[in-house]
Amino acid sequence: MLKTDFSRMYIDGEWRKGSSDKSMTNKNPFNEEELVTIQSATKEDLNEAYEAATRAQEKWAAELPQNKRAVLEKVVAVMEENKELIIDWLVKEAGSTLMKANVEFQASINIVKEAAGYPYHMEGKIMPSQTPGKENRVYRNPLGVIGIISPWNFPFHLAIRSIAPALATGNGVVLKPATDTPVTGGLIFASIFEAAGLPKGLLNVVVGRGSEIGDEIVTHPAPRLISFTGSTEVGRHIGELAGRSLKKTALELGGNNALVVLEDADIEQAVESALFGKFYHQGQICMSLNRIFVHKDIYDKFAERFIELAKNLKYGDPAEKTTNVGPLINKDQVDRILKDVKASVEQGAKIQLGGQADGNVLEPTVLTGVTNKMPIAENEIFGPVAVLIPFDSEEEAVEMVNDYSFGLSGSVHSSNIERGTSFAHKIHTGMIHVNDQSVNDEAHMPFGGEKDSGLGRFNGEWVLEEFTTLKWLSVQHTPRDYGPFINQLK
């Protein structure tokens, strides 16, 4: 079994208290039960973590590929042995329903299995040269140390998505989890990788407030890349800080994702896609549907069926097996969303379902009469509020979808696959799905956004480009003739 005392952070293979005089109390978002109190990290703690990762990384980079792979394979085994523990923490710390927690767990397993092959993909090339007797070689090497800042919504999956490939490609890691999910987004990985036999110092987990160490995890000289998943506002700040030191960034940021239902779509299929894409994990997913556009000819039928099924969504305690919609992560999120709902209603939107909150549980809510310029459509909702917007033509739908500066995910429904595909090509987004919804993630497919939704790609062969660097090494096999420059000296 894993270590389950998560009141200490993990630096250089040791569980220890943070050095700050401040502490962080972690609570269950559903019932406000206190889960754990953690002494916060300071800049000194962070520095020790980065120094440990730097020391350990050099030896790890030279480790045989089969040994790196063996550690990751052991990580999979440890995770599977402790599935119930991990699921329990996801439910009580992140407010995950049991359905969502199980899917998140399996997605995380897939990520580690995919990463286990990366040590054998650190390939290079031998290329021709324009110089006689020269051989050009290109080597793929680890970056060195990677700083990871994980989010609170899918904390386990979105943390391991960076941890596993970073370690698999020979890097050291310092991880700072979100303050709402310090265990499932951070400390639990220290326990997992420790049990899997990862050499000490390679994975360090610091838990601290952004006000104390938020900028320093980016500006410290050790990391050559910062991997961040979170809001566009914070991501832009991280990008600015990293740019000053010429560090790379892998940023997966906010979205204003749309589902477009063309007039020839299968309405039942489109409704089911919309329900899943909107209400899965309370809509607290970067890929969640923010806007649902429906052609005017089928708008009423779609809305009627959507509301009919949405009424059957069970909301409340995420620990109950049949719960579809659990709590939002904290009250600030509830208040923010209800403010946008209220403002949109004042502008003409109508609440057809829900609209009330009990603690951090916001009822599944459906709004009609919404325009693309209302706050509930303009802002990323990140909660269980569905907005249904009619459109007249494909051209209008394309214009409205692309109207905002986000471009993470999206979807379109049509009975004509080629028509749907043609429409999808017109949407400025990193990912889009035909006859499906927007929440898709596969460990071997490129994951990332365009515009304000981020930089870079995670998963599969594409993450290798993010977490490694290339070196050109040439070998002059025969004496080189430097021409007149040297000849005139003889």
Side-chain angles (χ1 to χ4, degrees):
M1 291 294 291
L2 293 179
K3 168 188 166 60
T4 56
D5 176 9
F6 296 118
S7 62
R8 296 169 182 256
M9 62 192 63
Y10 190 72
I11 297 176
D12 200 14
E14 302 293 333
W15 294 91
R16 54 190 248 191
K17 286 186 178 180
S19 303
S20 174
D21 57 0
K22 299 176 182 178
S23 61
M24 297 166 51
T25 300
N26 186 20
K27 293 184 177 181
N28 182 319
F30 177 68
N31 57 23
E32 299 295 326
E33 173 191 3
E34 181 176 330
L35 300 175
V36 64
T37 296
I38 304 167
Q39 204 75 16
S40 296
T42 62
K43 295 177 185 177
E44 289 72 25
D45 295 322
L46 180 64
N47 181 61
E48 290 186 32
Y50 270 132
E51 288 184 346
T54 301
R55 288 192 302 269
Q57 186 272 331
E58 186 173 352
K59 183 178 179 181
W60 179 246
E63 186 61 77
L64 292 171
Q66 64 266 34
N67 294 337
K68 294 191 187 84
R69 183 177 65 180
V71 170
L72 291 165
E73 289 174 340
K74 180 63 174 175
V75 165
V76 172
V78 171
M79 288 170 59
E80 290 176 337
E81 290 166 6
N82 293 274
K83 179 178 179 178
E84 290 186 11
L85 171 69
I86 295 168
I87 295 294
D88 179 61
W89 268 102
L90 282 169
V91 170
K92 67 187 182 185
E93 184 183 50
S96 305
T97 63
L98 283 170
M99 287 182 278
K100 178 264 187 181
N102 276 280
V103 170
E104 181 172 1
F105 176 85
Q106 188 56 52
S108 302
I109 289 284
N110 293 342
I111 285 286
V112 183
K113 287 182 176 179
E114 178 75 14
Y118 293 166
Y120 286 97
H121 293 166
M122 299 292 284
E123 59 190 14
K125 291 183 178 180
I126 296 178
M127 302 182 70
S129 174
Q130 298 171 3
T131 301
K134 180 182 287 292
E135 175 189 351
N136 283 321
R137 303 176 184 179
V138 180
Y139 292 90
R140 185 176 294 281
N141 295 322
L143 282 174
V145 175
I146 291 175
I148 300 172
I149 306 171
S150 67
W152 49 259
N153 59 329
F154 262 69
F156 196 77
H157 177 225
L158 297 182
I160 196 65
R161 181 178 69 179
S162 289
I163 297 170
L167 292 170
T169 50
N171 297 287
V173 170
V174 173
L175 168 64
K176 179 193 175 300
T179 54
D180 285 303
T181 51
V183 176
T184 51
L187 293 167
I188 201 166
F189 293 108
S191 187
I192 290 169
F193 278 87
E194 184 180 57
L198 183 73
K200 76 173 193 173
L202 283 172
L203 174 61
N204 305 271
V205 183
V206 293
V207 178
R209 302 174 184 275
S211 58
E212 287 191 84
I213 64 170
D215 284 359
E216 283 70 21
I217 195 169
V218 179
T219 59
H220 191 282
R224 298 312 309 151
L225 177 141
I226 302 297
S227 175
F228 170 75
T229 302
S231 72
T232 296
E233 180 183 8
V234 176
R236 187 175 283 115
H237 177 65
I238 288 171
E240 290 173 355
L241 292 176
R244 293 173 195 167
S245 302
L246 300 180
K247 301 175 189 283
K248 293 177 67 177
T249 55
L251 306 174
E252 196 247 291
L253 308 177
N256 194 326
N257 313 298
L259 167 65
V260 177
V261 185
L262 300 176
E263 76 277 6
D264 65 347
D266 181 316
I267 293 179
E268 187 71 14
Q269 183 184 2
V271 165
E272 291 178 6
S273 289
L275 286 164
F276 184 92
K278 174 68 264 182
F279 294 111
Y280 185 56
H281 192 43
Q282 299 81 264
Q284 294 181 126
I285 308 173
C286 53
M287 298 174 286
S288 290
L289 293 173
N290 215 60
R291 298 166 294 161
I292 301 170
F293 294 102
V294 185
H295 192 275
K296 64 177 183 178
D297 290 351
I298 59 171
Y299 181 88
D300 290 342
K301 288 183 179 180
F302 181 95
E304 180 182 2
R305 183 58 173 160
F306 184 86
I307 294 167
E308 179 185 1
L309 293 183
K311 288 178 180 178
N312 297 330
L313 290 167
K314 183 176 180 181
Y315 56 93
D317 187 352
E320 294 184 7
K321 290 183 178 180
T322 56
T323 297
N324 301 108
V325 176
L328 296 178
I329 195 66
N330 56 49
K331 189 175 185 299
D332 288 345
Q333 300 297 317
V334 177
D335 293 343
R336 173 187 59 78
I337 295 168
L338 289 179
K339 180 181 177 181
D340 280 351
V341 169
K342 180 181 178 182
S344 298
V345 169
E346 289 172 352
Q347 294 178 27
K350 296 181 180 180
I351 298 176
Q352 302 290 355
L353 181 68
Q356 301 296 318
D358 181 6
N360 291 337
V361 178
L362 178 58
E363 296 174 352
T365 300
V366 181
L367 273 65
T368 58
V370 178
T371 69
N372 204 39
K373 294 298 183 180
M374 289 182 180
I376 204 65
E378 184 177 8
N379 301 324
E380 185 177 22
I381 301 169
F382 229 64
V385 178
V387 299
L388 308 184
I389 304 173
F391 67 89
D392 291 334
S393 65
E394 281 193 38
E395 292 74 20
E396 183 189 19
V398 169
E399 182 179 351
M400 288 195 293
V401 173
N402 289 334
D403 197 29
Y404 294 116
S405 60
F406 296 98
L408 185 60
S409 188
S411 50
V412 56
H413 272 254
S414 171
S415 61
N416 185 322
I417 297 298
E418 294 308 316
R419 182 187 181 195
T421 301
S422 176
F423 184 94
H425 278 301
K426 299 173 185 177
I427 305 304
H428 303 153
T429 185
M431 304 173 288
I432 190 163
H433 310 283
V434 178
N435 289 340
D436 195 2
Q437 43 72 50
S438 56
V439 183
N440 285 274
D441 191 356
E442 297 185 28
H444 64 293
M445 295 304 296
F447 187 103
E450 298 293 331
K451 303 185 288 187
D452 285 355
S453 290
L455 295 170
R457 294 293 183 269
F458 295 91
N459 298 350
E461 63 189 82
W462 297 275
V463 78
L464 293 174
E465 298 298 327
E466 308 296 334
F467 289 177
T468 63
T469 188
L470 297 176
K471 175 181 282 188
W472 172 25
L473 188 157
S474 73
V475 178
Q476 189 68 38
H477 288 282
T478 60
R480 181 169 179 175
D481 181 0
Y482 295 101
F485 185 90
I486 295 297
N487 291 340
Q488 67 184 356
L489 303 179
K490 294 181 180 179

